[in-house]
């Protein structure tokens, strides 16, 4: 399909040292394509600023031309914007690759184009670790602003509450530093809301003195699902906060990157990490090992390796995700899960996950921002990965069926893992939502920045 250039976007042509793509340009299709290949949007322009000054120029030019602005790093979180970018400048942050590690203060300063795999390696060289996600090619900034549930979460909390400062370009093109001492209300709102309050060009956040961790995967053939799931749920009730795990039903591809014993199979997996001694890990994991896993890779490993523990796909992928926070998983909820995705369900989901929450995640962080804790004991997540567009509708249907199965026990929405445009009132308490709305009106009164959710 040929997409006509929007006359309003032509004034952006010379910005960012010429790194602006318009419809019809040779690089436009590559520039507009996000990590999630299910999307096929055609923004009015795609800009690649190298820093905050160039971001400000793009923002002012877009506002003067009557165009909206949508900032995007990798495009993992692009689906809620689907179909709404025709009147927008897609601002790609991938050229902002600054990484500065301060071993003395145990902090990092990271540009908006940095990926978690690179940051984990950089911090690991200093014996430090960040509260990274389960995928190395997720962007640091987007993940941090939305919340951030990683392998240390039950002990150390959400990544958004490890953030100590942000460099932000506002709707008028000005650059501010938001911290507890400067622009405190904006700083509060940025951490965990995922709201479009400006373009965050860099973040500063805490790192932790973690060189190695006991981590790995326990795996069973998926025919053991009905035996292992109830046992894992029961184990979670008393598991100490030093351990964070996830329970997954995973269809493993034939890719060489996958462990040979897993390729081409459907498996039940419990993977995670223990922040503590080998003796503690042995004691904590004993009840799960008593279930006789076929594969047991749990061992002490470098902390930087955990960013790839989940074996998530790297590089652009067609994906659909739906999720909900779950207050509890009583026997009836477990039965509902088994009915939705277990043997005999005919579910074709690539991934079904129940992520263990609680611990520090359930406790209000006194230094926290808009999302200072997670209300729920589990995150239920259904993901469809299918290279064939003919299968995408079925993946969406199966993901929603799984989430609907646990709906009677569900609570709030965790926006970073929802690919549908959602009502933000379901994600935050009324007083938090009202405060966020007030901040947004103050910093972006004309609504220049496009909201992913409503």
């Amino acid at each position: 399909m040929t997409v006509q250039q929007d006359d309003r976007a032509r004034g952006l042509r010379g910005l960012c040292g010429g790194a602006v793509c318009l419809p019809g340009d040779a690089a436009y299709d590559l520039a507009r394509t996000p990590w999630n290949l299910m999307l096929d949007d055609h923004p009015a322009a795609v800009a690649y600023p190298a820093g905050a000054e160039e971001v400000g120029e793009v923002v002012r030019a877009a506002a003067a031309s009557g165009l909206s602005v949508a900032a995007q790093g990798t495009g993992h979180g692009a689906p809620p914007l689907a179909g709404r970018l025709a009147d927008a400048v897609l601002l790609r942050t991938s050229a902002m690759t600054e990484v500065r590690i301060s071993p003395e203060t145990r902090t990092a300063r990271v540009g908006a184009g940095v990926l978690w795999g690179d940051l984990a390696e950089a911090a690991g060289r200093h014996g430090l670790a960040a509260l990274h996600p389960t995928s190395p090619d997720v962007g640091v900034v987007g993940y941090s602003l939305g919340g951030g549930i990683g392998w240390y979460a039950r002990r150390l909390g959400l990544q958004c509450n490890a953030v100590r400062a942000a460099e932000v370009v506002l709707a008028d093109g000005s650059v501010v530093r938001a911290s507890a001492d400067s622009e405190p209300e904006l700083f509060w709102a940025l951490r965990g809301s995922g709201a479009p309050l400006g373009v965050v060009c860099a973040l500063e956040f805490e790192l932790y003195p973690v060189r190695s961790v006991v981590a790995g995967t326990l795996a069973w053939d998926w025919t053991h699902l009905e035996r292992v799931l109830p046992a894992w749920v029961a184990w979670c009730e008393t598991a100490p906060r030093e351990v964070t795990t996830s329970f997954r039903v995973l269809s493993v591809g034939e890719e060489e990157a996958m462990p040979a014993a897993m390729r081409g199979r459907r498996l039940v997996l419990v993977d995670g990490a223990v922040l503590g001694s080998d003796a503690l890990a042995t004691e904590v994991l004993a009840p799960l090992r008593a279930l006789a896993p076929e594969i047991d890779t749990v061992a002490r490993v470098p902390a930087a390796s955990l960013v790839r523990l989940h074996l998530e796909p790297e590089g652009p992928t067609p994906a659909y995700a739906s999720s909900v926070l779950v207050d509890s998983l009583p026997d009836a909820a477990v039965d509902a899960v088994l009915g939705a995705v277990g043997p005999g369900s005919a579910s074709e989901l690539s991934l079904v996950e129940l992520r263990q929450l609680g611990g520090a995640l359930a406790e209000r962080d006194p230094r926290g921002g808009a999302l200072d804790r997670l209300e729920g004991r589990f995150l239920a997540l259904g993901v469809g990965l299918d290279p064939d567009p003919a299968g995408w509708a079925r993946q969406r249907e199966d993901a929603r069926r799984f989430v609907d199965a646990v709906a009677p026990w569900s609570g709030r929405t965790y926006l970073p893992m929802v690919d549908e445009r959602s009502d933000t009132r379901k994600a935050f308490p009324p007083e938090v939502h009202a405060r966020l709305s007030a901040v947004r009106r103050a910093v972006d009164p004309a609504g220049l920045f496009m909201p992913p959710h409503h």
Side-chain angles (χ1 to χ4, degrees):
M1 180 180 67
T2 301
V3 179
Q4 298 297 316
Q5 286 190 5
D6 189 325
D7 289 341
R8 295 174 296 173
R10 291 178 182 170
L12 280 74
R13 172 68 80 182
L15 300 181
C16 303
V20 175
C21 297
L22 302 182
D25 291 352
Y28 176 76
D29 281 340
L30 179 62
R32 70 182 177 84
T33 303
W35 178 90
N36 193 326
L37 296 179
M38 281 191 179
L39 276 66
D40 186 28
D41 277 306
H42 294 81
V46 184
Y48 287 87
E53 182 177 345
E54 290 188 351
V55 170
E57 292 175 353
V58 172
V59 166
R60 286 189 291 269
S65 301
L67 296 169
S68 299
V69 174
Q72 194 172 102
T74 62
H76 277 76
L81 292 171
R84 298 192 289 130
L85 295 180
D87 296 318
V89 178
L90 182 60
L91 196 153
R92 294 283 195 194
T93 62
S94 54
M96 303 182 212
T97 56
E98 174 190 14
V99 175
R100 282 192 280 164
I101 306 295
S102 172
E104 296 76 20
T105 61
R106 295 177 183 167
T107 57
R109 177 181 166 88
V110 179
V114 177
L115 305 181
W116 275 109
D118 297 328
L119 189 278
E121 291 178 9
R125 289 194 286 270
H126 298 280
L128 299 171
L131 304 185
H132 58 73
T134 57
S135 172
D137 69 349
V138 168
V140 172
V141 167
Y143 170 86
S144 299
L145 297 178
I149 309 169
W151 291 123
Y152 312 126
R154 284 172 36 81
R155 177 65 181 83
L156 298 175
L158 292 160
Q159 161 64 7
C160 64
N161 292 322
V163 173
R164 292 294 164 256
E167 180 183 83
V168 189
V169 176
L170 299 178
D172 62 0
S174 63
V175 183
V176 300
R177 174 182 169 84
S179 69
D181 301 318
S182 175
E183 304 286 348
E185 196 67 1
L186 174 61
F187 181 57
W188 170 85
L190 285 169
R191 290 175 294 154
S193 72
L197 305 171
V199 179
V200 175
C201 298
L203 287 180
E204 298 168 23
F205 52 85
E206 293 183 16
L207 301 173
Y208 299 86
V210 181
R211 287 186 176 273
S212 66
V213 185
V214 177
T217 299
L218 306 176
W220 300 258
D221 189 84
W222 97 297
T223 55
H224 294 274
L225 174 61
E226 295 177 344
R227 178 174 67 92
V228 179
L229 175 56
W232 176 78
V233 171
W235 172 84
C236 287
E237 289 296 320
T238 58
R241 66 178 55 206
E242 285 78 11
V243 61
T244 302
T245 64
S246 74
F247 181 97
R248 295 186 293 160
V249 179
L250 179 66
S251 294
V252 183
E254 297 284 0
E255 296 86 358
E256 290 186 6
M258 294 296 178
M262 295 184 178
R263 289 178 201 158
R265 300 180 61 187
R266 200 169 194 186
L267 297 170
V268 169
L269 308 175
V270 174
D271 42 16
V274 182
L275 273 177
S277 66
D278 290 9
L280 173 64
T282 298
E283 178 184 354
V284 168
L285 297 175
L288 298 178
R289 283 178 162 147
L291 300 171
E294 175 186 337
I295 299 170
D296 183 345
T297 69
V298 178
R300 184 163 291 277
V301 297
S305 70
L306 262 68
V307 75
R308 286 183 167 85
L309 173 62
H310 230 166
L311 301 176
E312 293 193 5
E314 298 181 37
T317 302
Y320 174 81
S322 186
S323 72
V324 70
L325 293 170
V326 180
D327 295 329
S328 65
L329 285 172
D331 291 346
V334 171
D335 289 342
V337 170
L338 294 172
V341 300
S345 67
S347 173
E348 296 182 6
L349 275 181
S350 306
L351 167 67
V352 173
E353 179 173 358
L354 292 166
R355 193 166 296 192
Q356 181 188 14
L357 305 179
L361 289 171
E363 299 168 356
R364 182 181 178 275
D365 188 323
R367 299 181 300 173
L371 187 67
D372 59 10
R373 63 188 180 279
L374 284 180
E375 299 177 15
R377 300 295 300 277
F378 302 93
L379 174 75
L381 171 67
V383 178
L385 303 170
D386 194 333
D388 184 0
W392 293 352
R394 177 60 186 271
Q395 294 284 356
R396 291 188 181 96
E397 180 183 337
D398 287 348
R400 291 167 181 161
R401 182 180 298 112
F402 167 57
V403 170
D404 288 346
V406 296
W409 301 275
S410 66
R412 296 199 182 279
T413 301
Y414 180 62
L415 294 175
M417 290 189 179
V418 177
D419 281 353
E420 302 286 354
R421 195 172 185 221
S422 301
D423 186 344
T424 54
R425 291 172 297 182
K426 296 180 180 179
F428 303 101
E431 66 278 9
V432 172
H433 189 272
R435 186 177 173 187
L436 283 171
S437 298
V439 174
R440 188 174 174 216
R441 288 192 299 270
V443 298
D444 185 14
L448 176 69
F449 298 112
M450 182 170 289
H453 300 283
H454 60 85

